[in-house]
Amino acid sequence: MKITLSVIKADIGGYVGHSSTHPEVVAKVREVAEAGKEKGTILDVSVITCGDDIAMVMTHTHGVDAEPVHKLAWEAFLAGTEVARKLKLYGAGQDLLSDAFSGNVKGMGPGVAEMEFEERKSEPVIVFFADKTAPSAWNLPLYEMFADPMNTAGLVIDPSMHDGFTFEVMDVYSGKAIRLKTPAELYDLLVFIGATSRYVVRAVYRNSDGEIAATASTQKLSLMAGRYVGKDDPVLIVRAQSGFPAVGEILEPFGRPWLVEGWMRGSHTGPLMPVSFAQAKPTRFDGPPRVIAAGYQICEGRLIGPNDLFDDPAFDVARERAAHLANFLRRQGIFEPHRLPPEEMEYTTLPKVLEKLKDRFRDIGEPKAKAPGSGEGEIHE
Ligand code: 13P
Ligand code: 13P
Ligand code: MG
Ligand code: MG
Ligand code: MG
């Protein structure tokens, strides 16, 4: 059976501040989602949370970008927002940028990751869900999962993965994408995905047959809204086993925390901490950024799960290291590189402050910088 797995997520109100969701709001989203299941719009749904964000994990047969599925998610988030408003939760309806639904939630605020596939004899999938960060947080772990044999032994050992994987990389500013095949074009791939402020991995495909392996939400809230409305807090779907990386190979990159953008006011660099569902409540300096891993076995379109995959003491060291990194970075306060560089700050509330002061800058006779590529001042090796 060909099924579609759609994960649609939004922050519709925080409890307290931006740290968590309120049970009544989550219950309302679940109620609307379950009604959609009763009606037959979707086959199954699992509602999960990370920090102040709620994700609807749905299975159905309508394909990706299907209006009835997107509409159901939109209506569930609207109903949840009403509850959040009643409780005066923080930022009620935060990620819903529009009042009217127009066929697809893309561009309206919620994050979306969807894939369609023929359900295998056994179909294990993992839904990663992060809070206080951006879609580029997935660049490094996706590279390790699908292109680094030091992480994924299967790339070497398993003949069904030996041909490698193709990455679809999107330029978040132009909306254009490029497909790069690994291992042959690995170094080209890294030129782009190492530049996390601009390029994000949108999907990964298996080279041997073009089968979809992973897909991520790449929506950037500030670019959609044209102002800072919070961080994107992305989701990522990865298929596991039998020609894809094993569950443990997919989780392995999270065993060593790395730095991502987000955290307080979406304006800082911080470590991504892998946590259990219960620990997904970022409070220290509104963070540090969190990620959960919800594992499912899909059975005739039903979601068997979620299994809380980071609820494993083997990830305690990663959590502890992330806490140490957080401590170290906090020493840096408002100074870069803890605070994001100016180009990134353009998408926060800082421009309002700069606007107020811009006329105070005076020419003091110092030379202006040359434009890059102008030929002058270049270093010749
Ligand atoms: P089990 O013997 O526990 O099924 O493990 C198989 C395996 O390949 C683990 O990576
Ligand atoms: P959220 O995107 O999780 O709402 O975070 C916004 C923020 O500014 C946290 O400090
Ligand atoms: Mg919030
Ligand atoms: Mg959030
Ligand atoms: Mg957010």
Side-chain angles (χ1 to χ4, degrees):
M1 178 171 59
K2 226 179 183 161
I3 65 143
T4 309
L5 178 60
S6 298
V7 184
I8 305 185
K9 53 83 41 188
D11 172 352
I12 52 172
Y15 168 63
V16 172
H18 292 286
S19 64
S20 190
T21 52
H22 192 281
E24 286 180 35
V25 176
V26 180
K28 178 53 84 176
V29 170
R30 195 169 277 135
E31 181 191 312
V32 175
E34 288 291 342
K37 182 177 158 183
E38 292 299 310
K39 246 182 75 187
T41 308
I42 51 174
L43 293 171
D44 205 358
V45 63
S46 163
V47 176
I48 55 175
T49 66
C50 184
D52 57 358
D53 287 76
I54 303 176
M56 295 168 64
V57 180
M58 297 173 282
T59 49
H60 56 93
T61 53
H62 303 286
V64 301
D65 287 323
E67 174 158 358
V69 177
H70 282 234
K71 189 159 186 268
L72 175 64
W74 183 257
E75 283 170 356
F77 290 137
L78 275 187
T81 296
E82 252 179 67
V83 177
R85 288 222 168 94
K86 249 183 238 153
L87 300 173
K88 288 178 69 178
L89 297 183
Y90 194 70
Q94 179 177 280
D95 290 356
L96 309 185
L97 304 177
S98 167
D99 294 330
F101 178 75
S102 56
N104 193 305
V105 294
K106 275 189 196 154
M108 300 182 76
V112 185
E114 298 183 286
M115 55 163 73
E116 188 180 31
F117 50 78
E118 192 69 43
E119 190 182 295
R120 293 172 290 167
K121 199 167 76 183
S122 179
E123 187 65 61
V125 299
I126 302 174
V127 175
F128 291 96
F129 189 8
D131 188 36
K132 305 297 180 274
T133 188
S136 60
W138 308 132
N139 286 11
L140 185 153
L142 282 169
Y143 152 67
E144 290 189 333
M145 285 173 214
F146 291 102
D148 181 3
M150 296 295 276
N151 179 85
T152 299
L155 291 167
V156 177
I157 295 171
D158 182 351
S160 64
M161 288 170 64
H162 218 78
D163 289 341
F165 291 86
T166 290
F167 288 66
E168 185 174 63
V169 178
M170 192 179 97
D171 173 346
V172 294
Y173 293 101
S174 72
K176 288 185 181 165
I178 179 172
R179 286 193 183 198
L180 293 160
K181 215 174 188 150
T182 65
E185 296 179 300
L186 177 61
Y187 300 160
D188 291 325
L189 172 74
L190 292 172
V191 165
F192 294 108
I193 69 171
T196 49
S197 56
R198 176 149 204 149
Y199 298 97
V200 295
V201 180
R202 213 174 93 91
V204 180
Y205 302 91
R206 186 165 58 197
N207 287 341
S208 61
D209 57 1
E211 190 66 18
I212 184 131
T215 184
S217 63
T218 51
Q219 288 74 32
K220 296 272 283 178
L221 266 171
S222 54
L223 303 187
M224 288 187 264
R227 65 192 154 86
Y228 181 68
V229 286
K231 222 48 184 177
D232 321 306
D233 307 331
V235 284
L236 165 69
I237 307 171
V238 185
R239 296 170 79 192
Q241 307 288 152
S242 312
F244 297 117
V247 166
E249 289 169 334
I250 293 166
L251 299 178
E252 180 60 12
F254 298 87
R256 292 168 299 151
W258 65 95
L259 301 180
V260 298
E261 66 169 271
W263 206 346
M264 173 59 75
R265 297 172 187 274
S267 310
H268 293 78
T269 293
L272 187 61
M273 184 186 270
V275 291
S276 67
F277 296 172
Q279 293 176 321
K281 291 178 184 173
T283 55
R284 182 178 180 191
F285 197 54
D286 283 5
R290 296 302 143 104
V291 58
I292 60 163
Y296 299 91
Q297 288 288 154
I298 299 178
C299 172
E300 317 293 342
R302 271 185 311 134
L303 291 161
I304 312 302
N307 189 332
D308 184 356
L309 297 172
F310 286 142
D311 184 17
D312 174 354
F315 287 97
D316 283 350
V317 172
R319 293 187 263 271
E320 201 180 313
R321 282 177 78 170
H324 283 298
L325 281 164
N327 219 30
F328 176 78
L329 284 163
R330 285 302 304 128
R331 168 68 185 93
Q332 202 82 18
I334 196 67
F335 293 81
E336 296 177 29
H338 182 26
R339 191 184 82 174
L340 295 181
E343 316 83 71
E344 295 283 305
M345 296 300 289
E346 279 171 34
Y347 296 94
T348 68
T349 44
L350 184 68
K352 287 183 190 155
V353 179
L354 292 174
E355 177 62 26
K356 200 177 69 184
L357 297 172
K358 73 176 195 307
D359 296 332
R360 300 264 302 271
F361 274 94
R362 294 276 173 263
D363 203 334
I364 54 166
E366 288 290 319
K368 284 194 176 80
K370 295 275 184 299
S374 65
E376 286 170 79
E378 276 179 19
I379 298 163
H380 297 279
E381 290 178 67

